Amino acid sequence: MPASFGGRIMVILQNYGMSFLRGAASSMLIALVGTAIGCVIGFAVGIIQTIPVEKKDSAVKKILLGILKFILNAYVEIFRGTPMMAQAMLIYYGSMALFNIHMSMWFAAFFIVSINTGAYMAETVRGGILSIDPGQTEGAMAIGMTHFQTMTAVILPQALRNIMPQIGNNLIINIKDTCVLSIIGIVELFYTTKGVAGAYYTYFEAFTIAMVIYFIMTFACSRILRHLESKLDGPDNFDLATTDTLAYTSGMFKYPDKKKEEVIPND
Amino acid sequence: MTKENIILDIHHLSKTFGTNVVLKDIDFSVSTGDVTCIIGASGSGKSTLLRCLNLLETPTTGEVLYHGEDITNATVNAASYRSHVGMVFQNFNLFNNMNVLKNCMVGQMKVLKRDAATAKKNALFFLDKVGMAPYINAKPRQLSGGQKQRVAIARALAMEPEVLLFDEPTSALDPQMVGEVLEVMRTLAGEGLTMIIVTHEMAFARDVSNHVVFMADGVIAEEGSPAQIFENPQNAQTKEFLSRFMRG
Ligand SMILES: Nc1ncnc2c1ncn2[C@@H]1O[C@H](COP(=O)(O)OP(=O)(O)OP(=O)(O)O)[C@@H](O)[C@H]1O
Ligand SMILES: [Mg+2]
């Protein structure tokens, strides 16, 4: 082993560079898939929890909705309220011991991260929906839109925009938290690093590399999401359509021709 | 006016919130081409009445007949009824995620199932009518209050409703923007659109409406032609209310 810190890092990278990359890719894959599925779960749960119950709805509908909302509430509270590491042990090893279910390690990993993210996202989505002023819902109802149409066309797009920072947060947390999955044997970045560090007894160097990789991944994700956000916002200014809009029903053009204005005599 | 062209016929309508009786035994009707103005003190139940007519609130008792059919019935499809009875709100309630043009198209496409080209043509026609055609690419946050309200009117008109309800459409506007919105409404009245308007603009109510309803404490205290109500009110509460307004 070289005497200098930089030299030791170089040696580790030469020998284990590919392992680090594979570990990082695993972490990233689990985080991305888990966050994506988690968002879908979160949206589904958040939407169901905000379905309004009207007085004139039938008793059956009210009861079914009540039971469903109770179950979803329990799901959210239980998964938010317990450590993901314990959930991983329970779900992966527990289901093996008790029900003789042998799920693949990877399936378990995606499942655990998704279901966890879903529990957090459900509350975020609920908050995002509630944050849209009810006036817009009334505006939509007043032109005859149904609850479903109002949700998909008006409320959810705005709620999604408002919770984008929260989705970013979840993604970043997931990139880092995949390390707890090493206890069910997933060889992600943390597991890889531990192995490398142990082999050469170079904890400081190996974990420096791991930290840098974690940081690059999270920082890149946060920048990409920022960019997406500003894209969703659209431009800050708008173009005035030409006066004769009816004549240009397909394709607008931007500003009135300068020359036309000059024709008008000034007096 | 003959019985056939009555669009809305309200019988013994009452509304309570908990123990708070907000509307008591309201009776009135609206025929094609009527411009009905509802006036009255704050808290007298004007908004609640309008919201009952559009089923944004469920009346506690009584009936609202739309072409003879009681729409307070649980079996009536509220959404499809609302597509015939539009509403313009005090706070505009535009869709903030859509530009002006989309705001006026979405209802036509989702509710009336019109194709995009037809919806766009129709939206442009009504936006032009309210003087907002140049602003089709703007988002609501980029418009002034008066402009937002004109877009909201175009959005409601694009559904080609039979009746349009207005709840204090100019109350949230700066004085210099009130005129532009009232001007649009004046034009619509001139074209024969059936409207029910809750307003504090007495001059407008006097000039434009053909029927004035004065509400006090949840009941219709007096109703009649603008001449009757404004020149020769009979009810003491009407007199007192109008004298406050006329003095300015
Ligand atoms: N959702 C509600 N729950 C309980 N009470 C309500 C509700 N909506 C309205 N009210 C009550 O009903 C009464 C009438 O309210 P409404 O908004 O219809 O008055 P208004 O005549 O429109 O007044 P304004 O001129 O200030 O708009 C008020 O006393 C109000 O507090
Ligand atoms: Mg009101």
Side-chain angles (χ1 to χ4, degrees):
Chain A
M1 268 284 141
S4 74
F5 175 70
R8 285 197 296 272
I9 291 224
M10 285 317 292
V11 170
I12 293 175
L13 280 180
Q14 262 160 24
N15 291 325
Y16 291 99
M18 278 318 285
S19 309
F20 275 108
L21 281 185
R22 266 198 302 274
S26 301
S27 290
M28 200 66 210
L29 181 69
I30 296 169
L32 280 176
V33 173
T35 308
I37 299 176
C39 282
V40 174
I41 296 174
F43 264 90
V45 176
I47 290 166
I48 293 170
Q49 280 175 333
T50 48
I51 292 177
V53 185
E54 281 164 45
K55 259 193 229 132
K56 63 181 209 177
D57 287 339
S58 69
V60 180
K61 185 180 163 191
K62 278 184 203 165
I63 291 168
L64 283 180
L65 206 58
I67 294 172
L68 190 59
K69 282 184 184 180
F70 176 81
I71 294 171
L72 293 178
N73 250 330
Y75 153 65
V76 169
E77 296 301 344
I78 290 169
F79 279 86
R80 279 198 318 177
T82 54
M84 191 157 90
M85 202 184 241
Q87 292 165 20
M89 294 294 268
L90 183 92
I91 290 171
Y92 186 63
Y93 294 115
S95 66
M96 212 181 288
L98 198 61
F99 306 111
N100 207 23
I101 299 171
H102 290 265
M103 56 177 95
S104 89
M105 215 162 61
W106 279 94
F107 176 83
F110 288 134
F111 181 77
I112 290 157
V113 176
S114 303
I115 205 109
N116 242 279
T117 311
Y120 278 96
M121 285 302 298
E123 282 300 282
T124 308
V125 170
R126 200 172 66 86
I129 292 172
L130 294 180
S131 75
I132 308 300
D133 87 285
Q136 291 188 55
T137 307
E138 292 198 340
M141 281 165 75
I143 53 175
M145 286 165 72
T146 60
H147 175 72
F148 181 76
Q149 290 168 337
T150 307
M151 272 299 184
T152 52
V154 179
I155 307 300
L156 291 179
Q158 292 179 66
L160 176 66
R161 166 62 191 89
N162 289 352
I163 65 175
M164 278 293 278
Q166 224 21 67
I167 293 177
N169 247 348
N170 268 310
L171 178 59
I172 286 170
I173 289 171
N174 282 344
I175 291 172
K176 298 184 297 174
D177 280 5
T178 47
C179 69
V180 310
L181 296 173
S182 59
I183 61 153
I184 60 168
I186 295 278
V187 186
E188 40 62 67
L189 185 53
F190 178 79
Y191 196 110
T192 310
T193 313
K194 234 172 71 178
V196 173
Y200 282 138
Y201 214 71
T202 47
Y203 282 91
F204 194 74
E205 293 77 6
F207 277 99
T208 301
I209 294 170
M211 298 273 268
V212 169
I213 297 175
Y214 273 123
F215 183 77
I216 290 171
M217 292 196 296
T218 55
F219 190 70
C221 285
S222 105
R223 289 294 117 170
I224 290 169
L225 281 165
R226 274 287 167 78
H227 180 71
L228 259 176
E229 272 179 43
S230 63
K231 262 211 150 149
L232 277 180
D233 285 342
D236 282 338
N237 40 25
F238 61 93
D239 298 325
L240 279 185
T242 47
T243 40
D244 196 2
T245 36
L246 289 178
Y248 303 105
T249 42
S250 58
M252 294 293 148
F253 57 78
K254 289 186 176 176
Y255 287 105
D257 207 335
K258 269 256 166 70
K259 280 180 204 128
K260 261 194 218 155
E261 281 170 25
E262 281 161 14
V263 176
I264 303 164
N266 270 327
D267 49 10
Chain B
M1 256 164 255
T2 57
K3 263 258 174 229
E4 287 90 80
N5 48 29
I6 290 182
I7 302 175
L8 281 173
D9 205 359
I10 293 111
H11 289 300
H12 307 299
L13 184 131
S14 300
K15 176 70 185 173
T16 50
F17 290 108
T19 56
N20 185 7
V21 182
V22 177
L23 294 176
K24 278 168 278 191
D25 206 21
I26 302 285
D27 268 285
F28 79 103
S29 67
V30 174
S31 303
T32 311
D34 275 356
V35 177
T36 306
C37 278
I38 303 176
I39 60 173
S42 186
S44 56
K46 307 182 298 294
S47 296
T48 309
L49 173 57
L50 220 52
R51 293 167 62 81
C52 282
L53 296 188
N54 201 10
L55 294 182
L56 287 176
E57 302 286 357
T58 316
T60 312
T61 58
E63 49 187 19
V64 177
L65 302 181
Y66 171 70
H67 292 297
E69 186 190 8
D70 186 7
I71 49 117
T72 61
N73 235 317
T75 53
V76 169
N77 182 340
S80 101
Y81 164 71
R82 289 194 195 103
S83 69
H84 300 291
V85 179
M87 180 137 172
V88 173
F89 301 85
Q90 188 173 348
N91 296 317
F92 330 124
N93 294 348
L94 292 178
F95 307 136
N96 291 329
N97 58 325
M98 301 176 199
N99 65 19
V100 166
L101 182 62
K102 289 273 157 51
N103 260 281
C104 299
M105 284 170 64
V106 63
Q108 297 184 63
M109 292 173 67
K110 302 246 175 217
V111 179
L112 304 180
K113 311 288 179 209
R114 288 182 180 153
D115 62 88
T118 313
K120 183 171 180 179
K121 199 161 147 252
N122 204 42
L124 286 173
F125 175 79
F126 286 106
L127 282 167
D128 191 48
K129 198 182 211 43
V130 301
M132 287 301 292
Y135 295 88
I136 49 172
N137 298 319
K139 287 278 184 76
R141 65 183 143 91
Q142 296 162 324
L143 300 176
S144 74
Q147 292 173 329
K148 281 187 210 170
Q149 194 59 295
R150 285 188 282 148
V151 172
I153 293 174
R155 177 177 74 181
L157 288 174
M159 301 297 290
E160 294 170 65
E162 249 190 293
V163 190
L164 200 46
L165 314 176
F166 292 80
D167 190 5
E168 302 196 30
T170 58
S171 294
L173 301 178
D174 289 341
Q176 72 267 27
M177 294 169 192
V178 171
E180 64 186 56
V181 172
L182 291 184
E183 200 42 53
V184 166
M185 292 169 63
R186 229 176 260 274
T187 313
L188 296 175
E191 289 174 1
L193 179 70
T194 311
M195 306 195 273
I196 305 176
I197 307 165
V198 171
T199 184
H200 289 298
E201 300 286 334
M202 293 304 147
F204 174 83
R206 190 180 50 206
D207 298 348
V208 175
S209 67
N210 65 344
H211 188 75
V212 179
V213 173
F214 172 72
M215 289 188 63
D217 302 323
V219 298
I220 295 181
E222 191 169 358
E223 64 178 317
S225 70
Q228 280 173 325
I229 302 291
F230 289 105
E231 317 298 339
N232 191 19
Q234 301 300 312
N235 186 299
Q237 281 172 299
T238 321
K239 286 181 192 166
E240 136 81 19
F241 174 79
L242 288 174
S243 72
R244 257 189 296 142
F245 262 96
M246 295 313 170
R247 261 189 271 121

